[in-house]
Amino acid sequence: MDLRHLRTFVAVAEFGTVSKAALHLHTAQPALSRQISDLEQELGLALFDRVGRRLFLTGAGEQLLGSCRSLLGSVSALGEQAQLLRHGDTGVLKVAASPVQIETVFSTFLHQYAKRYPGVQVKLIEAIGTATLALLERGEIHLGISLLQSIQADDRHFGIYPVPPVELVAACHPSFPLESGGTIDIGLIALHPLLLLDSGFVVRKTFDTACRLARLADDETAGTAGGSKNQYLRLSGLGAIVREIIHRCLLE
């Protein structure tokens, strides 16, 4: 069914004459008359009765008029929605990130994003390392926040946008004998009890790799801490905490 025929039908019904409908639709009168005739033939129904120069809806035409208006309204709404989707101003944005990134970045960022894009619903999914890439490959997320170590240099399956770097920091209680300065020898902090992220985190794998390069045994870097930031701080008197700093400008 041609939508132009439906628009013509609605216009003629509203204006009462083909000439007025033709002016409104910027179409020649003979073309509109043919469209009405074609629509009546397709439906197998008479839509108008001619009385003088005016056209009046038949009983069938009156019943179909509301449905045609609804259909045309839905088509118009569909076009508007598609236009918004093209501009990225509406829809669902699925983002995967580590729990640390969600806690330290997204928790402070999302309210600003919501004000700027009120029509976009952001759905956060906890994922780390290669699990994030697997979600991208399956099309279950639109964006994944991960470390570059997770992606092969020649991998062309993903578009990559570098963001500010992630740093490793050793945090400890003020009384803990940790040397001050810009860098710390990993061999020095490995001599003490450490609270580390779970081994599934890329940042943990990075730390473990650094330990192996320094030829440190696994038992010298024992201790895995899960849970919230407050739990880390309560335990900080026992030794040093190694975790990542994620800049707030990550998504700005």
Side-chain angles (χ1 to χ4, degrees), residues 178-195:
L178 191 63
E179 295 182 2
S180 60
T183 58
I184 302 172
D185 188 336
I186 196 170
L188 296 178
I189 63 172
L191 298 176
H192 303 281
L194 299 177
L195 299 176

Side-chain angles (χ1 to χ4, degrees), residues 3 7 70-80:
L3 292 177
R7 292 191 182 94
S70 298
L71 178 58
L72 292 174
S74 297
V75 171
S76 177
L78 179 63
E80 293 175 359

Side-chain angles (χ1 to χ4, degrees), residues 48-64:
F48 293 98
D49 288 324
R50 182 177 292 277
V51 179
R53 294 185 176 183
R54 291 187 60 84
L55 294 176
F56 294 90
L57 287 169
T58 62
E62 289 180 353
Q63 294 185 54
L64 291 176

Side-chain angles (χ1 to χ4, degrees), residues 133-144:
L133 304 185
L135 290 172
L136 280 171
E137 286 183 323
R138 294 195 299 268
E140 297 180 18
I141 59 174
H142 303 106
L143 176 67

Side-chain angles (χ1 to χ4, degrees), residues 8 11-12 15 17-30 32:
T8 297
V12 172
F15 289 97
T17 65
V18 173
S19 58
K20 291 181 180 179
L23 290 174
H24 175 72
L25 296 175
H26 305 287
T27 306
Q29 292 187 40
L32 259 64

Side-chain angles (χ1 to χ4, degrees), residues 62-125:
E62 289 180 353
Q63 294 185 54
L64 291 176
L65 179 61
S67 297
C68 289
R69 283 171 172 163
S70 298
L71 178 58
L72 292 174
S74 297
V75 171
S76 177
L78 179 63
E80 293 175 359
Q81 184 180 11
Q83 183 177 6
L84 290 174
L85 289 171
R86 287 196 300 270
H87 295 163
D89 294 334
T90 188
V92 178
L93 177 63
K94 300 177 183 179
V95 182
S98 71
V100 176
Q101 291 167 332
I102 292 175
E103 177 188 351
T104 59
V105 177
F106 287 94
S107 61
T108 58
F109 169 80
L110 285 181
H111 71 282
Q112 301 175 21
Y113 187 88
K115 289 181 179 179
R116 186 172 182 180
Y117 301 101
V120 178
Q121 176 189 355
V122 179
K123 182 178 180 180
L124 297 177
I125 301 171

